[in-house]
Amino acid sequence: EEFLLEQMKQLNLTHAKNCREARSILTGRCEQFDVILLDLSLPDKTGVPLISDITKLCMNTPVIVLTSYTDFAFGIKSLSLGVSDYVLKEELTPISLYKSIVYSLERKKATLELEDSEKRYSDLFHLSPQPMWVFDINTFYFLNVNDAAIVQYGYSREEFLSLTIKDIRPAGEFAKIKKIIDSAMLTGRLECQCNNIHRKKNGELMRVDTKSKLIEYQGKKAVVTLAIDVTERLNYIKAIELQNQKLKEISWIQSHIVRAPLARIMGLINVFNDMPTADEKEKALKYILLSANELDIAIKEITNKSNMDIESSSSQSC
């Protein structure tokens, strides 16, 4: 307490005589304490069992061990048990104790922020409505997949993690991706958008737009990928293009095949009354009838094409 008061203007120190009393004070109240200073030899518990007891009780509160033991191996082991720092009493000074507390608090704060960031990433990854996965850039094996990928591709999570990204592509498609990855390995950068063909578990092929980025995942160089199925969209665009082509054909029929007999009919009608003989009028009527039949055939062809387009659109909509 004297050491701490040399460095701090305000201090609220709670003292426990043994482990049992410490547990009574800390149970349900760990968040009220900024740091726990733990003597390694208490009357009712010592060593590893004492450390384990306190660190498990207050996982988010830094625990600094104060001890006379100079066993370096034990000090390392205590840190692996969740202790923030291991301080020898013989070397303790006001400034060293204060620095240990400040460093432990800052380290714990950084750890909590990192855990929170990782949780947010995990939530974004697993709750994404679009398929996402992470794969090892060296082996190409999947390291993680989200629920949307499992639903879209039909593999279970365990099956996915036994596959490589090559296994979800038809033959010949992987070469394009490997070329991009090889380039990323050389430059250390990967941030690309590609259009690919993927294969589901049932063998069905689909066109996907993928967005990929190089990341560090569980100590490995990896790539996180977002995959959007664009098969339906591309089919819709293809249907529109086909529809436009048929409309062009209808337009050509209207402007050429329909207009020719219609122009003849209109011309013959204009001169019909001026024809002097019955033979000329009869011949003109035959030309009018012939042109009318041509016009009728052209109109039927347009109608048939229009009906085919309507039926095709209906079946695609279904």
Side-chain angles (χ1 to χ4, degrees):
E1 184 175 9
E2 289 174 359
F3 278 5
L4 292 174
L5 285 172
E6 285 190 28
Q7 301 295 324
M8 301 178 181
K9 293 182 179 180
Q10 293 183 342
L11 175 66
N12 185 2
L13 190 65
T14 301
H15 179 242
K17 296 177 182 178
N18 51 47
C19 182
R20 183 166 55 86
E21 187 176 339
R23 286 185 60 84
S24 176
I25 294 170
L26 293 171
T27 300
R29 297 173 54 203
C30 285
E31 69 280 355
Q32 297 179 16
F33 295 92
D34 297 310
V35 68
I36 297 170
L37 304 177
L38 181 64
D39 194 317
L40 202 54
S41 299
L42 296 183
D44 55 347
K45 192 170 286 190
T46 62
V48 171
L50 174 61
I51 293 174
S52 299
D53 209 14
I54 299 300
T55 53
K56 287 179 182 177
L57 182 64
C58 296
M59 296 180 63
N60 291 328
T61 305
V63 176
I64 299 174
V65 168
L66 304 175
T67 181
S68 299
Y69 297 154
T70 56
D71 187 342
F72 181 75
F74 183 82
I76 297 297
K77 184 177 181 179
S78 68
L79 293 174
S80 70
L81 294 172
V83 166
S84 295
D85 202 358
Y86 185 87
V87 181
L88 296 176
K89 291 180 181 178
E90 289 78 5
E91 299 175 359
L92 197 64
T93 64
I95 189 64
S96 66
L97 179 58
Y98 178 71
K99 284 172 63 177
S100 177
I101 291 173
V102 172
Y103 291 168
S104 295
L105 288 172
E106 288 300 315
R107 188 161 53 247
K108 197 66 178 182
K109 180 182 176 183
T111 300
L112 291 175
E113 288 176 351
L114 179 60
E115 290 174 353
D116 184 58
S117 175
E118 289 176 347
K119 184 181 182 302
R120 287 199 300 271
Y121 157 76
S122 179
D123 289 344
L124 286 172
F125 181 83
H126 288 290
L127 297 178
S128 169
Q130 300 293 349
M132 293 183 71
W133 54 74
V134 180
F135 68 89
D136 189 311
I137 198 170
N138 293 302
T139 66
F140 307 116
Y141 273 97
F142 288 100
L143 299 175
N144 201 356
V145 293
N146 70 353
D147 293 340
I150 292 169
V151 172
Q152 183 77 42
Y153 287 78
Y155 294 101
S156 67
R157 189 177 303 279
E158 291 72 22
E159 287 174 326
F160 249 123
L161 298 182
S162 68
L163 301 174
T164 70
I165 59 171
K166 186 177 180 179
D167 296 320
I168 64 167
R169 289 169 167 81
E173 271 291 297
F174 180 69
K176 178 174 67 174
I177 301 301
K178 190 174 185 308
K179 185 176 180 181
I180 295 172
I181 292 173
D182 288 343
S183 175
M185 291 287 283
L186 292 173
T187 61
R189 295 182 61 189
L190 173 65
E191 193 166 351
C192 67
Q193 183 170 345
C194 307
N195 184 265
N196 307 277
I197 300 175
H198 285 184
R199 183 178 57 232
K200 298 181 181 180
K201 183 179 179 180
N202 62 9
E204 180 185 343
L205 298 180
M206 59 180 177
R207 299 297 297 264
V208 295
D209 281 342
T210 60
K211 294 181 180 180
S212 301
K213 188 174 179 63
L214 195 65
I215 62 169
E216 189 85 12
Y217 183 80
Q218 296 179 348
K220 300 177 180 179
K221 282 187 176 181
V223 175
V224 60
T225 298
L226 170 70
I228 302 173
D229 183 0
V230 294
T231 307
E232 192 172 319
R233 186 177 73 192
L234 293 177
N235 287 341
Y236 183 68
I237 292 172
K238 186 176 180 180
I240 291 175
E241 290 174 347
L242 184 61
Q243 183 82 0
N244 288 340
Q245 181 60 36
K246 290 183 177 181
L247 289 173
K248 287 179 181 178
E249 292 174 8
I250 292 172
S251 177
W252 187 88
I253 291 171
Q254 288 176 330
S255 62
H256 294 79
I257 299 176
V258 173
R259 289 183 66 85
L262 180 61
R264 286 199 300 272
I265 291 171
M266 293 175 66
L268 288 168
I269 289 173
N270 288 334
V271 300
F272 183 79
N273 292 327
D274 296 332
M275 290 181 177
T277 67
D279 288 341
E280 288 179 336
K281 288 184 178 181
E282 185 177 350
K283 187 181 288 188
L285 284 173
K286 287 181 180 180
Y287 280 119
I288 290 173
L289 181 61
L290 180 64
S291 298
N293 288 332
E294 289 180 16
L295 183 59
D296 183 55
I297 292 170
I299 291 172
K300 285 179 179 178
E301 188 177 347
I302 293 172
T303 303
N304 289 335
K305 279 186 173 291
S306 299
N307 289 337
M308 286 173 59
D309 292 343
I310 292 170
E311 289 173 5
S312 175
S313 299
S314 298
S315 61
Q316 288 173 3
S317 297
C318 294

